[in-house]
Amino acid sequence: MKVLIHQTPERAVRCVADILVKRLDLQPDTVLGLATGGTMEAVYARLIKAYRGGHVSFDRARSFNLDEYIGLPPDHPCSYWRYMEDRLFDHVDFGAGATCLPRGDAADPEAEAAAYERAIARSGDIGLQLLGLGANGHIGFNEPSSSLSSLTRIKTLTRSTRAANARFFDDPDDVPRLAITMGIGTILRAEEIVLLGFGEGKAEAAAAMIEGPVSASCPASALQLHDKVTVVLDQAAASRLKLREYYELVHPGGGDAVITPFQPAA
Ligand code: F6R
């Protein structure tokens, strides 16, 4: 796990946006795994800026979002479809039909989840998966106790997740209780994973994810099993890491590792 600790949330956001831009430059037809939530808003704003500046194009890329609330149709103001249209899709050049989210209003949500999983596999799986981090350690809507090999399915949201997401709704009681989410097994099939977390509220979850045991109690800890994960944090989110000094030694200022060959004394 590569742990990059940045001085400010803005720098952490820039770092993540740059990773995406670089990946699309190297492989324009990358299948992206995308996330929603407060953390991603600034990342998408930077990607739009990069697109407008001619530094990135999405015209050959495809995307699958992690999750969607059950019961919300795509045009509902609080659906993740709408979030993605407003914050990214309507402002960049993804091709028609290249962006996918599960349908929250599907008549048969279980069948919808299974079809979504098949569609991801048919696309060759995710090339670059973007993740946020729940304060309770969730990734996607894989709440604590999720199977570490789970596939896309229906999950019941915890009270704390509903409370955290209530800020996007007029009335806290309107936050749906169920969601369709990619599973942890689905996420772990991605070729490369980038997780972004900032703020004190993520510090405990970040420490459990990076340094705790691999456990369903902290679903994000499953990322320890993946061979290409970059965790990008700001100072506050990194504040409970026991090995923080080591991560900062390897990646000063959240930058690339400095690898200088050993020079034996003459
Ligand atoms: C959203 C998602 C969630 C969020 C997480 C953090 O698609 O999958 O796992 O990334 O809840 O949310 P914020 O960024 O709002 O703190």
Side-chain angles (χ1 to χ4, degrees), residues 6 48 58 89-90 109 113 178 182 204 210 261:
H6 288 269
I48 292 168
F58 298 83
F89 298 159
D90 286 354
L178 300 172
M182 277 188 207
E204 202 176 309
I210 298 167

Side-chain angles (χ1 to χ4, degrees), residues 14 19 38 53 56 90 94 166 197 220 256:
R14 195 187 316 155
I19 292 172
V56 68
D90 286 354
F94 275 108
D256 286 334

Side-chain angles (χ1 to χ4, degrees), residues 35-39 66-67 80 132-134 138-141 167-168 202:
T36 58
T39 310
L66 282 163
D67 39 28
Y80 282 163
L133 177 64
H138 73 213
I139 46 175
F141 275 138
R167 68 194 192 280
F168 293 106
K202 302 294 170 76

